Amino acid sequence: MAFTDQPSGLQQTFDPEGLLHRMTNQIRRSLELPEILTATVAEVRSFLGTDRVMVYRFDSDDSGEVIAESIHEQRLPSLLGLHFPANDIPQQSREMFIAARQRAIVDVANGKIGLSPLCLPETNEPIDTENIHYRQVDPCHIQYLTALGVQSSLVVPILHRDLKEESAKPELWGLLVSHHSQPRSILPWELKLLQQITDQVEIAIAQSNLLSETRSQRQQQALINQIAILLNQLPTIQFQAALESTITAFGGTGGRLYIEQSRELYTWGEQPQLPYESKSIVIEQHPVWQNWMAECKQGQVLAIPDLYKETHLRVLAVGFQPTKIRGILIIPLYYRNCFLGVFSIFRPEFDTEILWAGRCDQNQRQRQPQLSFDVWREQKKGQAPEWKLEDIVLGQALGYHFSMAIQQQQMYQQVQVLNTNLEQRMQEQTGELEKSLLFTKVIKQITEQIRSTLDLKITLQTIVQEVRPLLNSDRVLIYKISDESDGQVIVEEINGSYPSVLGIKAPPRCFPDEYARLYIQGRVRAINDVSTATLSDCHREFLQNLQVQANLIIPINMGTQLWGLLIAHQCDAPRNWQDGEIELMQQLADQAAIAIQQAQLYEQSHTAENQAKAKAQQLERTLYELRQTQTQLIQNEKMSSLGQLVAGVAHEINNPVNFIYGNLSYANDYTEQLLKLLRLYQSHYSQPDSEIRSLEKAIDVEFVAEDLPKIISSMQVGADRICSIVQSLRNFSRLDEAEHKPVDLHEGIDSTLLILQHRLKTTVNFPGVKVVKDYGDLPLVRCYAGQMNQVFMNILSNALDALEMHAGNNQSFIPSICISTRVSADNSFVLIRIADNGPGMTEEVKRRIFDPFFTTKPVGKGTGLGLAISYQIIVEKHGGIIDCVSEVGKGTEFWMEIALNPQCKVNNQYINSLLPSSERWQVK
């Protein structure tokens, strides 16, 4: 690959800034080094137009590996993943790559090599101009490249500098190599651009290394935190879980944690086994191991890659031979120069396989160049694992946490032992204090019971249940004194087979009246021995009948009134009551007095609350009845006004219509007679006067004679129609009929439709409503005719409102209403159904349609009273049923059932038995 100043035409059109820009963006876009190197070799090969561009990375032993490669049409064999020996690139060349950062340009055909340094090796100062030194290339190098199939080559060194240390010297990281199977010249600007790309790759390598270090540090810190959490869970430190997590993090197959003081051993995974004569001890207790640990310094971590080469472990190595364990990381655990134990991590031996570019024979390489680069697999068995610096640092950090955890556990155990001893020493001295605390606890418990419940009996029962075992007495009871200086036992707690005294009363006049006065004053009476105490014969006999040999009596006072007594009985033997026991009973008596007072107040408040609730319910019922009455009055007033208006209009129309209707028959007769007379005149006076002929012609006598009967007939039809309308108005108003009588419901429905006729007709903005009447053969129904007409009016008006609204939103909508009537199979009930094909109702609206004052219409268009009144009329007035079936988008249907016999009660079950499901009106 010769160096020339004459650019080719293709190279002149290439955009170097675009290539550099793409490479820079690739580095910025990704911090993953493999992605960056792959993009780099692809871009460079495309830029140079050569057959192969690769990135060659040096290993720690100066050998190298091709880690990225781009080949054009397989003109050269792939070298990706192949290793090359260290002596393929002489040490002198590597040093020059670092010192002068020189680029090597080899022309195999001419046997020349050009070296282009960036810096002077002597001063390390950059060179401003391209200064190429040509010389004859080593024949061995020529043969090497020829064997690779290369005729021109370009090598640019890739250096790496530690960004965290400014004074760090650069190291030779790898090479950017271009191979071409044909001779090729390279231009100065191409070489300059390649150097700029290499500089960007060096930056990417440094960034990738920093990223890897950051990730490793983050992972190590997360592991340390995880282990620290497990090791800080006192009192049960999770040593086993921490051991397993640590071994897994190090990639080990086993490990051990040995604690010196307690001789505890935690193991996980693959373990060594000592010979049979040493099976009674563990490795950490073997004298050889202990002597070895004694020589270790605090903070030291022993990283042993091959245990069979460690002199300290020769005696113990026999225990590892049955296993694949080869490497050991030993972490001695110390706390303030005190040896606590040891942590060991085992790594197994492993096999490796390296792909070499040709068979590696060191002796032959020194004598002649390599002529074949066929893949050669080198396999190494039983390799010892390597412990890196980060493994040692992590081991030191985890060793600190394990040491602290062991120390904490030992201190915790010591504290536990001290506490146990202290508890034993203080046990006798704290007996009285514990008893006092127990008294306090009982008092607190009873106090909480009083606060948690207002049930007096539960509270008093709790007192005797808690006191009896606390006093270790045979019986504890509460004796309630009534207003008549009498009383009885209301609660008790017994231990043993002693008889119950629940409900027992004291003998009359057995206790002097002075006792009550003394108890009110706070007197406490402790009788240690009933047989020797100063008691009346009645009193002693009463106690002996109850098998009482000693008792303690505490009064329960409510202000200046003696409510009762808190009494403790000892039945098995006499007893000396202690001051603490008496004080406890007094405090409990005070708590009982508080509980009694609260219970009385609660009972009073509960009584007052019940009275208030009763009054509130009565007021609510009154308010409901008032609202119902108000609603009925408003609607009755409306319907009465409407009925009066309709009746008045019908009456006013009826008088002139009757006059016209009554005279039409006479007018018809007179007209026929006059026409008959006219025809006679025409027959007898066939030649009338000229003036008569002129008038006949002017008025068209023949047409008038023919049309006049028709006019009279049409007037007769119109008068009949007006009479029918007037009769319908009178039927709707029902003002001239009895309030409750047999009625033709079909007349009421038809009258309502007649009144609403103007809303059924077609207008400019409304297509008109198609009314379908599916009337059954109904008998006369005994009902309130005017109120039933009111129901029909309310339901039909609501249906028309819904249809008008829906028609305004849907131009293709054809409104329709279906009215159906039927009689039940047993002739007991009448079913009336009115259905529309409007928008329907939601479930929430349907649940509230019969509530007074509920409406979905705009303000000013509805009062919310129509359906509420309809419900009252059907259900309350007529003992029937009214229900609604509706679904959004499928219309609405109202069902009404009325009994033909007023003594019958309508049952909801009849709603489905009145008609077969196939005959139900389907809203469309």
Side-chain angles (χ1 to χ4, degrees):
M1 187 172 290
F3 184 83
T4 179
D5 292 332
Q6 301 298 327
S8 64
L10 177 62
Q11 291 168 334
Q12 286 179 342
T13 61
F14 191 84
D15 182 10
E17 294 184 358
L19 173 61
L20 185 60
H21 180 69
R22 288 197 302 274
M23 291 303 305
T24 303
N25 287 342
Q26 178 67 25
I27 293 172
R28 292 176 178 174
R29 183 170 59 250
S30 173
L31 291 176
E32 301 299 332
L33 188 59
E35 297 179 5
I36 297 173
L37 296 181
T38 301
T40 299
V41 295
E43 292 287 351
V44 171
R45 195 207 57 74
S46 176
F47 159 58
L48 294 176
T50 55
D51 295 329
R52 177 170 59 209
V53 174
M54 63 184 183
V55 173
Y56 180 88
R57 183 182 64 189
F58 289 100
D59 295 331
S60 59
D61 60 353
D62 290 338
S63 65
E65 178 188 0
V66 177
I67 62 173
E69 180 185 59
S70 176
I71 301 177
H72 179 60
E73 296 181 354
Q74 305 298 323
R75 291 181 180 177
L76 292 177
S78 173
L79 302 177
L80 185 63
L82 299 185
H83 289 73
F84 292 81
N87 54 13
D88 275 14
I89 300 177
Q91 180 65 28
Q92 182 182 1
S93 298
R94 291 197 292 270
E95 292 175 354
M96 290 301 295
F97 279 139
I98 297 175
R101 295 197 63 185
Q102 64 181 8
R103 289 76 58 88
I105 307 169
V106 180
D107 186 354
V108 176
N110 297 323
K112 292 184 179 181
I113 181 172
L115 301 177
S116 174
L118 291 179
C119 303
L120 294 174
E122 298 81 5
T123 61
N124 200 27
E125 295 181 355
I127 301 175
D128 295 336
T129 61
E130 296 289 348
N131 188 8
I132 310 300
H133 302 282
Y134 296 96
R135 62 174 174 81
Q136 289 296 321
V137 68
D138 188 349
C140 182
H141 195 181
I142 294 296
Q143 294 179 16
Y144 187 90
L145 293 176
T146 302
L148 284 172
V150 176
Q151 290 296 312
S152 56
S153 171
L154 170 62
V155 179
V156 180
I158 302 174
L159 303 184
H160 171 62
R161 188 188 304 271
D162 191 351
L163 298 180
K164 295 185 292 183
E165 298 183 10
E166 296 181 359
S167 61
K169 295 182 179 180
E171 299 175 356
L172 183 61
W173 183 87
L175 303 173
L176 177 63
V177 183
S178 173
H179 287 162
H180 200 52
S181 61
Q182 301 294 329
R184 185 190 186 284
S185 299
I186 185 166
L187 300 176
W189 68 271
E190 292 177 323
L191 187 61
K192 182 178 180 181
L193 181 60
L194 285 179
Q195 185 60 51
Q196 292 175 340
I197 293 174
T198 304
D199 293 341
Q200 294 297 324
V201 172
E202 291 176 352
I203 295 173
I205 293 171
Q207 291 178 346
S208 178
N209 289 342
L210 287 176
L211 177 62
S212 299
E213 292 178 6
T214 302
R215 286 176 176 174
S216 177
Q217 292 174 0
R218 185 167 61 247
Q219 291 174 356
Q220 286 191 3
Q221 190 60 46
L223 173 64
I224 292 172
N225 293 338
Q226 177 186 354
I227 302 301
I229 292 173
L230 295 173
L231 296 175
N232 284 282
Q233 297 181 0
L234 283 173
T236 56
I237 297 177
Q238 304 295 320
F239 281 120
Q240 185 65 37
L243 171 67
E244 296 177 10
S245 299
T246 302
I247 296 172
T248 303
F250 278 94
T253 58
R256 303 161 69 90
L257 172 63
Y258 176 75
I259 301 176
E260 180 70 20
Q261 182 179 358
S262 62
R263 295 184 176 270
E264 294 179 82
L265 178 64
Y266 298 90
T267 62
W268 185 77
E270 194 172 19
Q271 299 294 321
Q273 295 292 334
L274 291 178
Y276 65 90
E277 64 270 9
S278 303
K279 284 186 177 180
S280 59
I281 62 173
V282 297
I283 291 179
E284 289 80 3
Q285 296 174 0
H286 197 281
V288 174
W289 182 282
Q290 291 187 343
N291 292 336
W292 184 34
M293 289 295 102
E295 298 176 1
C296 295
K297 297 180 181 180
Q298 183 175 357
Q300 184 179 5
V301 175
L302 303 176
I304 302 173
D306 192 347
L307 64 90
Y308 299 108
K309 296 181 181 179
E310 184 63 39
T311 57
H312 295 84
L313 294 176
R314 285 180 182 175
V315 177
L316 302 177
V318 65
F320 291 88
Q321 289 178 353
T323 70
K324 291 188 176 182
I325 299 173
R326 194 65 171 261
I328 307 178
L329 186 69
I330 301 174
I331 309 170
L333 305 177
Y334 286 86
Y335 180 78
R336 295 182 180 179
N337 298 324
C338 179
F339 181 72
L340 301 177
V342 63
F343 195 118
S344 305
I345 301 172
F346 307 142
R347 276 185 177 174
E349 62 184 17
F350 62 94
D351 301 333
T352 60
E353 181 181 80
I354 302 177
L355 301 179
W356 292 95
R359 182 176 180 84
C360 293
D361 192 335
Q362 299 297 333
N363 295 330
Q364 288 184 359
R365 279 189 179 281
Q366 293 175 0
R367 295 195 302 268
Q368 61 183 8
Q370 184 174 350
L371 300 179
S372 174
F373 293 91
D374 293 337
V375 178
W376 177 65
R377 300 177 183 271
E378 180 186 14
Q379 295 183 346
K380 295 182 180 181
K381 301 290 186 178
Q383 294 294 301
E386 178 186 1
W387 297 102
K388 298 181 180 180
L389 177 61
E390 51 264 30
D391 295 330
I392 297 174
V393 174
L394 178 59
Q396 290 174 335
L398 292 177
Y400 168 78
H401 286 284
F402 273 95
S403 300
M404 294 300 297
I406 295 172
Q407 177 64 20
Q408 288 179 2
Q409 187 186 50
Q410 293 176 356
M411 291 181 62
Y412 177 78
Q413 292 173 351
Q414 293 173 4
V415 171
Q416 290 296 105
V417 172
L418 291 175
N419 288 339
T420 302
N421 295 334
L422 181 61
E423 183 178 355
Q424 292 175 353
R425 290 195 303 268
M426 296 296 295
Q427 193 169 14
E428 296 179 359
Q429 300 177 9
T430 58
E432 292 298 328
L433 179 59
E434 289 179 355
K435 190 173 183 180
S436 177
L437 290 176
L438 188 58
F439 288 172
T440 305
K441 180 181 178 181
V442 171
I443 294 173
K444 180 182 178 182
Q445 182 175 353
I446 294 173
T447 303
E448 291 176 352
Q449 177 68 35
I450 293 172
R451 294 176 179 175
S452 62
T453 181
L454 293 175
D455 191 320
L456 179 60
K457 188 172 183 179
I458 294 176
T459 302
L460 298 180
Q461 189 66 49
T462 302
I463 292 175
V464 297
Q465 288 176 351
E466 296 293 337
V467 170
R468 195 213 58 73
L470 191 61
L471 294 179
N472 194 23
S473 59
D474 297 321
R475 185 191 293 122
V476 175
L477 56 91
I478 293 179
Y479 184 85
K480 181 180 180 182
I481 299 175
S482 60
D483 295 338
E484 292 80 11
S485 298
D486 195 4
Q488 64 179 355
V489 178
I490 57 174
V491 291
E492 69 172 352
E493 179 69 15
I494 303 174
N495 179 38
S497 58
Y498 299 104
S500 173
V501 297
L502 193 63
I504 196 170
K505 298 182 179 180
R509 296 179 299 278
C510 186
F511 302 106
D513 295 338
E514 184 181 2
Y515 281 13
R517 181 177 57 80
L518 294 175
Y519 286 139
I520 292 175
Q521 294 175 359
R523 175 197 182 186
V524 174
R525 188 169 189 183
I527 301 175
N528 298 328
D529 190 346
V530 171
S531 62
T532 61
T534 305
L535 300 173
S536 64
D537 295 338
C538 177
H539 191 184
R540 181 177 289 105
E541 183 181 358
F542 175 68
L543 293 177
Q544 290 176 348
N545 289 337
L546 300 179
Q547 300 182 7
V548 177
Q549 297 194 38
N551 70 343
L552 178 62
I553 304 173
I554 307 295
I556 301 175
N557 293 321
M558 297 287 294
T560 59
Q561 180 182 1
L562 178 62
W563 184 88
L565 302 173
L566 177 61
I567 305 173
H569 287 168
Q570 194 69 29
C571 300
D572 59 349
R575 174 174 178 172
N576 293 325
W577 301 101
Q578 303 298 319
D579 292 340
E581 296 170 341
I582 297 174
E583 183 179 356
L584 171 65
M585 292 283 284
Q586 287 179 321
Q587 294 182 15
L588 293 177
D590 294 339
Q591 296 298 326
I594 295 173
I596 295 166
Q597 187 175 12
Q598 288 183 353
Q600 291 176 349
L601 291 175
Y602 172 73
E603 185 177 357
Q604 294 174 2
S605 63
H606 188 64
T607 303
E609 181 183 2
N610 290 337
Q611 293 176 353
K613 285 183 178 179
K615 290 183 178 179
Q617 291 176 355
Q618 183 179 1
L619 288 174
E620 186 176 356
R621 286 195 300 270
T622 303
L623 179 61
Y624 175 77
E625 293 173 357
L626 221 97
R627 287 182 175 176
Q628 295 288 2
T629 304
Q630 180 184 15
T631 303
Q632 187 66 45
L633 287 174
I634 293 172
Q635 192 65 13
N636 287 344
E637 182 65 23
K638 288 171 57 179
M639 293 306 297
S640 175
S641 300
L642 179 61
Q644 291 178 1
L645 176 62
V646 169
V649 170
H651 179 72
E652 292 299 326
I653 294 175
N654 189 51
N655 289 335
V657 166
N658 285 338
F659 174 77
I660 296 172
Y661 187 78
N663 290 313
L664 277 176
S665 58
Y666 299 109
N668 186 39
D669 293 341
Y670 297 161
T671 301
E672 289 180 356
Q673 293 175 2
L674 290 174
L675 290 175
K676 184 178 181 180
L677 178 63
L678 177 61
R679 291 190 184 93
L680 289 175
Y681 270 106
Q682 289 177 341
S683 61
H684 291 285
Y685 298 98
S686 57
Q687 296 298 325
D689 182 78
S690 60
E691 183 178 358
I692 293 174
R693 284 198 303 270
S694 298
L695 182 59
E696 284 181 351
K697 186 176 182 179
I699 64 175
D700 194 356
V701 174
E702 294 299 328
F703 174 76
V704 171
E706 181 181 357
D707 192 52
L708 185 58
K710 295 179 181 180
I711 291 175
I712 298 298
S713 177
S714 64
M715 291 174 64
Q716 182 69 39
V717 172
D720 291 340
R721 178 60 178 161
I722 293 174
C723 289
S724 175
I725 291 173
V726 170
Q727 184 62 34
S728 296
L729 292 176
R730 291 173 61 86
N731 289 339
F732 179 81
S733 64
R734 298 289 185 178
L735 293 179
D736 57 347
E737 298 181 7
E739 186 179 21
H740 192 269
K741 59 178 290 185
V743 176
D744 184 357
L745 292 180
H746 291 162
E747 280 189 5
I749 296 173
D750 293 339
S751 300
T752 305
L753 290 173
L754 180 64
I755 294 174
L756 296 173
Q757 185 66 33
H758 67 287
R759 297 188 62 185
L760 302 174
K761 294 180 179 179
T762 302
T763 62
V764 176
N765 299 322
F766 187 64
V769 180
K770 178 183 178 181
V771 179
V772 178
K773 297 180 182 179
D774 183 16
Y775 289 169
D777 188 10
L778 297 186
L780 297 180
V781 180
R782 194 170 187 83
C783 63
Y784 296 94
Q787 293 183 2
M788 289 301 300
N789 290 344
Q790 180 180 349
V791 173
F792 300 148
M793 175 65 76
N794 290 335
I795 294 176
L796 289 171
S797 297
N798 287 342
L800 289 172
D801 291 339
L803 294 174
E804 289 174 356
M805 179 186 69
H806 197 49
N809 299 329
N810 188 355
Q811 299 298 327
S812 62
F813 174 65
I814 301 176
S816 65
I817 295 176
C818 179
I819 305 173
S820 173
T821 59
R822 290 290 187 276
V823 179
S824 63
D826 58 356
N827 294 323
S828 299
F829 307 101
V830 172
L831 172 65
I832 306 165
R833 293 182 297 162
I834 301 176
D836 64 71
N837 62 342
M841 292 182 285
T842 63
E843 288 296 326
E844 181 180 358
V845 172
K846 192 169 69 173
R847 285 195 298 267
R848 300 187 58 191
I849 57 174
F850 296 117
D851 294 346
F853 304 105
F854 173 76
T855 180
T856 59
K857 299 177 182 178
V859 177
K861 283 205 167 186
T863 62
L865 295 174
L867 291 179
I869 291 297
S870 300
Y871 184 87
Q872 290 181 347
I873 292 173
I874 297 296
V875 176
E876 297 179 9
K877 292 290 187 179
H878 295 85
I881 295 174
I882 181 170
D883 198 3
C884 174
V885 179
S886 180
E887 188 175 346
V888 176
K890 295 186 178 181
T892 302
E893 181 176 356
F894 280 90
W895 291 60
M896 290 165 283
E897 293 182 11
I898 300 176
L900 287 173
N901 185 355
Q903 282 72 32
C904 292
K905 296 296 182 182
V906 176
N907 191 330
N908 279 324
Q909 296 177 353
Y910 280 97
I911 197 167
N912 292 322
S913 64
L914 295 177
L915 286 176
S917 58
S918 59
E919 294 186 17
R920 287 198 57 188
W921 166 250
Q922 301 295 326
V923 181
K924 300 181 181 179

